[in-house]
Amino acid sequence: MDETRMDETEVLNRPEDAGVGGGPKPGGKTPKVVVRPRDKAQRDILAAVAKARETGAVSPELSDGDVAGIVTPVIDALYDAYEEDGTAPTRDAFAERCVSEDVGNVVLTMGSDPFVARRPGRRAVAAICAGCALALAVACGGVALSLSPGGDPSGGEAEGAPGAAVADGGVDTEAVEEAAEEASRAESAAQTGQDGGSVTSTGGAASPSGGSTSSSSGSSSSISSAGSTGGSSSTSSSSSGSGSSSSSSATHTHNWVAQTTTVHHDAVYKTVHHDATYTTVHHDAVTEDRTICNNCGADITGNVDAHMKANILNGCGSYSIKTVVVQAAWDEQVLASAAWDEQVLVSAAWDETVTTGYKCSECGATK
C-alpha cells in the first residue's frame, strides 16, 4: 500500500476539530478528513462480511438478516456518538462494540477504512480531468451543432444532439464524489497488484508498469458544463451504476436447496394369541341289572344258586333284579382347535424422505 497515504483508522475526532493524531500538522494546517455517510459505510461493511462468508472467515450459517442485525446497531451507535460529541467512528471502535468477533475482524482487515471518505489519488484526479475535458468537448460539439444550418438558430439543442439531457445548477458534486471513490478503489487495486499483471476496474485498466486508465467507460463520470450564460450542464454518471453492480455481484446470497435421502420403514406387526377351543360332549349314566339277595342284600349276579345253597340256613332263600348305576353321567371336553398365535398388521411399510443438509445451488456451499 502507498506509504504516503495516512492510516485512516487513526482519526479520532471530527476533521474540523483536530488533525490526524490529535493535533495540527506542522505549519498550523489541519488536514481535511471527511467521515463518510452512514449508509455508505454500512453498505461497504455488509459487502465485506458477505464476501467473508463465502471464503469461510465468517460462519456461512449467518443469513443476510443476521449480519444486518449485528452490523446496524454498531453503526448507529458510532454515528450517534459522532453527531453528539464529535468522536469519529473507527474500525477499532466498531470491533470493540461488535458482538461477533468474526465480523469485527473482517472490518479491521478491510482494504480501506469504511468510515473515512477516500481522497482521490493522482490517477483519480487525472480521470476526472479527462472526463471534464471530454464533457466540455461534447458540450462544444452540441453548441456547434445547434448553430449549424440544420440546428435550432434560437440557441436550443437539436433533437437527438449530444448533451440533450442536461441538469440546471452545474456539476453534480455527489456524482463527482462517487467517481472519485471509484477511481480511488481502482488505484488501491493497482497498488496491490504491482507484483504481477494488471488490474482492471469497472471499465478502466490500471497497470503498475505505466498502463492507461480509461475514464470514459465507467471509472469516472463524464461531466459537461456550458457555463452560466444560458448554456446547459450534462452529467453522465456511469460510474455510479458500475459501482452498484460491482457491489451487488460481490454480495452473494446463498440459495439453499434441501438435500434429502429416502429411509425405508418395514411394516409393523403385533402378535395376537388365540386360546384352544373345546366342545362339551355329555355322557349319560351307565346302568346294569344286578341280582340282589333279598335277605342279606348281596350282589349275587351270576352266583345265585351257590349263594342260596351256602346261606339257606341263614335265611337267604330269595332274590330280586335291581338296576344299579355303574358309572354316573359326565361331561367330556373335546378339543375343537389348538391354541395359536396370529401376526396382525399394525402399520404398513413406508418410505420417509429425510433432509440431510442444505447446498447452495449457485456456489455449491453446504451446511
Side-chain angles (χ1 to χ4, degrees):
M1 192 171 187
D2 191 351
E3 295 181 357
T4 61
R5 284 174 173 251
M6 68 175 195
D7 184 0
E8 296 169 333
T9 62
E10 295 293 329
V11 179
L12 299 179
N13 297 312
R14 293 194 187 191
E16 56 266 33
D17 296 335
V20 178
K25 283 188 175 182
K29 292 185 179 180
T30 301
K32 184 172 175 111
V33 179
V34 181
V35 175
R36 299 185 73 208
R38 181 183 312 213
D39 58 338
K40 293 184 179 180
Q42 182 171 342
R43 178 196 64 194
D44 287 358
I45 291 175
L46 291 177
V49 174
K51 184 176 293 185
R53 280 190 302 170
E54 297 177 4
T55 61
V58 175
S59 173
E61 295 182 359
L62 286 177
S63 65
D64 291 342
D66 295 335
V67 174
I70 294 172
V71 172
T72 302
V74 182
I75 292 288
D76 290 342
L78 293 176
Y79 276 85
D80 288 345
Y82 174 66
E83 294 171 358
E84 181 178 350
D85 58 20
T87 301
T90 65
R91 290 189 281 192
D92 290 335
F94 181 95
E96 291 176 2
R97 289 174 177 263
C98 187
V99 297
S100 171
E101 183 178 354
D102 291 342
V103 174
N105 289 335
V106 169
V107 175
L108 287 174
T109 56
M110 287 177 64
S112 58
D113 194 328
F115 299 110
V116 178
R118 296 157 177 81
R119 294 181 303 169
R122 290 183 299 236
R123 289 191 179 91
V125 172
I128 293 174
C129 292
C132 291
L134 178 62
L136 183 58
V138 171
C140 292
V143 172
L145 183 62
S146 65
L147 296 177
S148 65
D152 184 3
S154 63
E157 293 181 349
E159 182 178 356
V166 298
D168 294 335
V171 177
D172 188 346
T173 57
E174 184 175 354
V176 173
E177 181 182 350
E178 289 287 346
E181 288 194 14
E182 194 70 28
S184 178
R185 292 192 188 98
E187 183 176 0
S188 298
Q191 292 290 340
T192 304
Q194 283 184 354
D195 291 335
S198 62
V199 178
T200 303
S201 62
T202 312
S207 173
S209 60
S212 63
T213 300
S214 173
S215 62
S216 61
S217 299
S219 298
S220 63
S221 301
S222 296
I223 305 171
S224 63
S225 174
S228 58
T229 59
S232 62
S233 172
S234 171
T235 302
S236 169
S237 180
S238 60
S239 66
S240 177
S242 300
S244 61
S245 63
S246 175
S247 175
S248 62
S249 63
T251 304
H252 170 63
T253 301
H254 291 297
N255 181 27
W256 296 115
V257 178
Q259 304 299 301
T260 60
T261 186
T262 301
V263 178
H264 177 75
H265 298 272
D266 294 329
V268 178
Y269 295 87
K270 69 175 181 178
T271 301
V272 178
H273 178 74
H274 299 274
D275 294 328
T277 58
Y278 296 86
T279 59
T280 301
V281 178
H282 178 74
H283 297 274
D284 294 330
V286 178
T287 61
E288 292 180 358
D289 290 338
R290 294 288 183 174
T291 302
I292 306 300
C293 178
N294 292 331
N295 179 52
C296 65
D299 185 354
I300 57 175
T301 303
N303 194 29
V304 175
D305 293 340
H307 179 75
M308 291 300 174
K309 288 179 180 180
N311 296 288
I312 189 66
L313 298 177
N314 296 327
C316 296
S318 62
Y319 64 89
S320 59
I321 303 299
K322 295 182 179 180
T323 301
V324 179
V325 177
V326 177
Q327 183 177 359
W330 56 288
D331 293 332
E332 180 184 7
Q333 297 296 315
V334 179
L335 180 66
S337 62
W340 59 290
D341 292 332
E342 179 185 8
Q343 297 297 314
V344 179
L345 180 66
V346 175
S347 61
W350 59 291
D351 292 332
E352 178 186 10
T353 300
V354 179
T355 299
T356 58
Y358 296 87
K359 182 177 182 179
C360 179
S361 61
E362 298 180 5
C363 69
T366 58
K367 70 172 184 177

